[in-house]
């Protein structure tokens, strides 16, 4: 079975390609390298021992996308990662996000329809839940989005649902909680361009000396240690869930044409717990200080993952310590590479 992976050079896309190839799927990937580098393809080849079928295609270019897909007559499913994901940037540049994330998804769906491809796995986000009462299950209400980025995920889910009603499309939307960590080989991982927005890359960059100090955004929240709580999930667990979602669709197990699943660990950890786990696992003392709250942060969110276990047969294998260990190994590998250039 051949799978088209959009955004295949990115953080989650690259890890998913490894797991798909491992399970015997054929993969063709596209990316425009807006937030990734072509060298990822070399790393994928080293990890898998396989040549990665790849084309540089921008999903905003509908004509290019359609003609590329026409040349690939045997694609049976699409895993659609390609999108912009920086919440803060989306506040400043909302149209960039609506064009790429929503417009790009519409283009992918049109190209699929034209080519007769009937299965898609979509990257959604726990951000659609906003401030919810954890553990959050898939039936939790979807409030007005807090950011244009979050809104693009809500809108894409609706677009996908509508396309299911109108055609014989089948969709699995996966709502990721906080993906962290890296591949065990330390050959692929998260590559934040510029100053990272997310906690774990900020931790590893501070520990390696790229950043002077990590600011903990607020310690006066109503949580046991006063810092915010999130559900940090290892990226390889996320990648494996995509393989499970493809198998679920291939075996026709979808009860509904449109299915949605949370991908989390089911466990919440505070910012201070993450920092302390990092320090314990790596033996590195982190330079951090307590700062003011970051506007827009929810107090606590973590997933109920029962639906993914019951229907996809998927559950996480890695814990927070392994996420921290692998994120650190990846940061160390990156700095060695930079040093040798
Ligand atoms: P990423 O930026 O590492 O990967 C996205 C890839 O898509 C990049 O390689 C980028 O170059 C590519 N891309 C962007 N626009 C494109 C376009 N127009 N045409 C072709 N390629 C394009 O991000 P990621 O963390 O791997 O996220 C993948 C998906 O998961 C995104 O849809 C994101 O919104 C979603 N998601 C991510 C997180 C997270 O915290 N990482 C959480 C929830 C959901
Ligand atoms: C985690 C915690 C911060 C940085 C974001 C997106 C969400 C989803 C996942 C895509 C929070 C704290 C962070 C720092 C800190 N992505 N923090 N100092 O905000 O849960 O979610 O990524 O869909 O949409 O919003 O993740 O990693 O930014 O923050 O104290 O320098 O770490 O306040 O409590 P978040 P994050």
């Amino acid at each position: 079975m051949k799978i088209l992976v959009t955004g295949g050079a990115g953080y989650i896309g690259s890890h998913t390609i490894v797991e798909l190839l491992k399970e015997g799927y054929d993969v063709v990937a596209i990316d425009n390298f807006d937030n990734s580098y072509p060298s990822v393809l070399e790393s994928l080849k080293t990890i898998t021992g396989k040549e990665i079928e790849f084309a540089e295609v921008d999903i905003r270019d509908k004509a290019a996308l359609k003609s590329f897909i026409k040349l690939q007559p045997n694609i049976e499913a699409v895993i659609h990662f390609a999108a912009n994901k920086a919440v803060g940037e989306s506040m400043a540049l909302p149209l960039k996000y609506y064009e790429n994330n929503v417009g790009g998804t519409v283009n992918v769906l049109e190209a699929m329809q034209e080519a007769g491809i009937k299965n898609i796995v979509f990257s959604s986000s726990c951000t659609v839940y906003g401030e919810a009462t954890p553990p959050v299950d898939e039936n939790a209400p979807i409030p007005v989005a807090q950011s244009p980025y979050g809104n693009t995920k809500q809108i894409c889910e609706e677009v996908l649902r509508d396309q299911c009603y109108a055609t014989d499309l089948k969709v699995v939307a996966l709502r990721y909680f906080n993906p962290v960590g890296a591949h065990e080989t330390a050959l692929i991982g998260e590559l934040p361009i510029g100053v990272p927005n997310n906690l774990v890359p900020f931790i590893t960059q501070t520990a390696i000396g790229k950043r002077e100090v990590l600011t903990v955004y607020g310690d006066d929240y109503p949580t046991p240690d006063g810092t915010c709580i999130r559900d940090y999930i290892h990226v390889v667990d996320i990648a494996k869930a995509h393989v499970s979602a493809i198998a679920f669709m291939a075996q026709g197990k979808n009860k509904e044409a449109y299915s949605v699943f949370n991908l989390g660990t089911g466990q919440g950890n505070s910012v201070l717990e993450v920092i302390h786990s990092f320090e314990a696992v790596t033996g590195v003392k982190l330079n951090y200080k307590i700062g003011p709250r970051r506007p827009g942060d929810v107090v606590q969110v973590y997933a109920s993952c029962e639906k993914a276990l019951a229907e996809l047969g998927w559950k996480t294998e890695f814990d927070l310590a392994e996420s921290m260990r692998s994120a650190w190994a990846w940061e160390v590998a990156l700095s060695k590479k930079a040093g040798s250039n």
Side-chain angles (χ1 to χ4, degrees), residues 1 3 20 23 25 76-77 79 118-122 138 164 169-174 239-263 306-314:
M1 187 171 174
I3 318 291
L20 286 168
E23 292 303 317
Y25 291 96
E76 288 182 59
I79 306 183
K118 297 189 168 55
N119 298 297
I120 182 168
V121 180
F122 175 69
E138 292 81 353
C164 283
L169 183 74
K170 300 272 192 301
V171 176
V172 171
L174 299 175
K240 288 183 175 178
H242 290 75
V243 180
S244 302
I246 290 288
F248 169 81
M249 296 176 115
Q251 293 159 14
K253 287 187 180 162
N254 341 24
K255 286 186 212 142
E256 319 272 352
Y258 180 86
S259 313
V260 57
F261 298 96
N262 285 341
L263 297 185
E306 282 162 30
K307 191 178 174 205
L309 177 60
E311 294 187 34
L312 300 179
W314 168 90

Side-chain angles (χ1 to χ4, degrees), residues 6-14 30-37 57-61 80-85 100-101 104 122-127 149 153 174-179 190-191 198:
T6 77
Y11 176 42
I12 305 171
S14 58
I30 59 173
D31 206 296
N32 68 350
F33 301 121
D34 177 64
N35 197 37
S36 53
Y37 296 99
V57 176
D58 189 321
I59 60 165
R60 289 169 299 183
D61 185 343
H80 177 36
F81 294 106
N84 297 119
K85 63 167 180 177
N100 201 29
N101 296 10
F122 175 69
S123 300
S124 190
S125 167
C126 68
T127 197
Y149 168 75
K153 292 297 173 190
L174 299 175
R175 293 177 180 155
Y176 318 151
F177 280 63
N178 290 55
E190 190 166 7
L191 254 185
N198 296 116

Side-chain angles (χ1 to χ4, degrees), residues 44-101:
L44 287 176
K45 190 178 164 188
T46 309
I47 295 170
T48 62
K50 291 180 183 160
E51 202 66 55
I52 308 301
E53 216 183 312
F54 177 84
E56 190 168 340
V57 176
D58 189 321
I59 60 165
R60 289 169 299 183
D61 185 343
K62 196 192 288 189
L65 181 64
K66 283 187 176 176
S67 46
F68 170 76
I69 289 185
K70 260 197 205 114
L71 294 174
Q72 300 280 340
N74 47 356
I75 293 172
E76 288 182 59
V78 175
I79 306 183
H80 177 36
F81 294 106
N84 297 119
K85 63 167 180 177
V87 175
E89 185 191 53
S90 80
M91 306 281 213
L93 301 173
L95 298 184
K96 173 177 173 179
Y97 279 70
Y98 288 110
E99 184 193 21
N100 201 29
N101 296 10

Side-chain angles (χ1 to χ4, degrees), residues 87 125 127 149 178 197-199 202 214-217 228 230 232 271 294 297:
V87 175
S125 167
T127 197
Y149 168 75
N178 290 55
N197 300 299
N198 296 116
L199 177 63
F202 212 109
L214 168 82
T215 303
V216 173
Y217 296 138
C228 292
R230 299 285 183 275
Y232 297 93
V271 177
R294 180 172 69 176
D297 268 341

Side-chain angles (χ1 to χ4, degrees), residues 125-160:
S125 167
C126 68
T127 197
V128 301
Y129 296 121
E131 186 85 66
T133 309
V136 182
D137 71 25
E138 292 81 353
N139 296 317
I142 307 292
V144 172
Q146 297 270 355
S147 70
Y149 168 75
N151 204 23
T152 67
K153 292 297 173 190
Q154 293 190 6
I155 293 171
C156 284
E157 286 200 14
E158 285 171 7
V159 169
L160 288 159

